[in-house]
Amino acid sequence: MLKKCVQVLAVTGLIVASSSLCVNAAGADIQKQIDGIMGALPKFAVPMREVGDRFQNMYFAAEGGNWALASYMSKYMDKAMNPAKVTKPKEYPDWKAFYEGDFSPVNKAIAAEDMAAFTKAYTAVITSCNECHVAMGYGFIQLKKLAAPVDQGIEYKLSSKAADVPK
Ligand code: HEC
């Protein structure tokens, strides 16, 4: 863009007088493009839908003894929030602190393949999920545990090890 702009001005003989103007115009154009990309990236609402689904699925994976699937659901529940690093830089650290803090007993129970510990941690963390919703002004989004997984197209009752998830 800048190159094209400079070329046009060189032809018209205005390069010296207008070069700084041209850089500014190119900068503004790049900024506009960045703003456009930022506007198209998800903030919290879209990734949170994936968080919600993976969180529900995780339970049935653990219950079915498919510990790799439970671990996988947890991993990508967290990764689903990555766009918020860029689009919600002030709020993203709250998610990170939640996943590494309040959520860690769930991950530990998955790693230990311990269903009793998992059920306890999973039930407890629902309160933490909801507390963040309240804190961020979304107290009307209250989670409830489903009786069946959201995604019906996966086999939950399958014996696997938590460590089976590729790095
Ligand atoms: C860091 C704070 C935070 C934490 C922790 C958090 N949420 Fe959310 N969640 C939000 C916010 C904010 C929204 C509303 C989205 C928006 O409009 O920006 C939301 C919305 C949702 C939604 C509704 C999405 C939709 O649009 O349909 C679901 C489902 C959800 N969260 C699930 C969860 C689950 C499950 C957990 C815990 C494992 C969790 N959330 C933890 C902040 C959080």
Side-chain angles (χ1 to χ4, degrees):
M1 179 65 203
L2 184 57
K3 206 175 158 204
K4 202 172 146 202
C5 191
V6 169
Q7 277 167 356
V8 170
L9 289 168
V11 168
T12 58
L14 291 168
I15 182 100
V16 178
S18 302
S19 61
S20 67
L21 235 178
C22 187
V23 170
N24 287 344
D29 189 65
I30 291 165
Q31 188 58 52
K32 216 174 136 194
Q33 287 181 27
I34 292 170
D35 290 349
I37 295 165
M38 291 283 270
L41 283 176
K43 295 179 179 67
F44 258 51
V46 174
M48 270 295 160
R49 289 203 63 187
E50 189 172 335
V51 166
D53 289 0
R54 291 195 186 278
F55 182 68
Q56 298 285 347
N57 293 341
M58 189 187 304
Y59 180 87
F60 299 95
E63 193 185 39
N66 197 343
W67 292 105
L69 185 63
S71 173
Y72 168 91
M73 286 298 167
S74 173
K75 179 181 176 185
Y76 287 103
M77 179 186 91
D78 178 41
K79 298 254 183 272
M81 291 300 291
N82 278 353
K85 283 183 190 174
V86 183
T87 55
K88 287 274 179 184
K90 280 201 206 101
E91 293 83 356
Y92 180 80
D94 291 341
W95 167 263
K96 191 170 160 34
F98 163 81
Y99 188 73
E100 289 172 0
D102 290 11
F103 203 81
S104 70
V106 178
N107 285 333
K108 278 189 192 130
I110 293 173
E113 298 169 10
D114 180 340
M115 191 57 197
F118 176 85
T119 307
K120 195 165 163 253
Y122 187 93
T123 309
V125 90
I126 292 176
T127 309
S128 305
C129 298
N130 286 332
E131 275 169 7
C132 193
H133 293 167
V134 171
M136 290 185 69
Y138 293 86
F140 54 89
I141 303 178
Q142 291 285 305
L143 299 174
K144 58 170 196 175
K145 195 193 156 304
L146 295 178
V150 176
D151 192 338
Q152 298 281 325
I154 304 172
E155 186 56 73
Y156 293 88
K157 291 192 184 84
L158 185 82
S159 181
S160 72
K161 302 252 160 259
D164 289 349
V165 183
K167 286 278 170 283

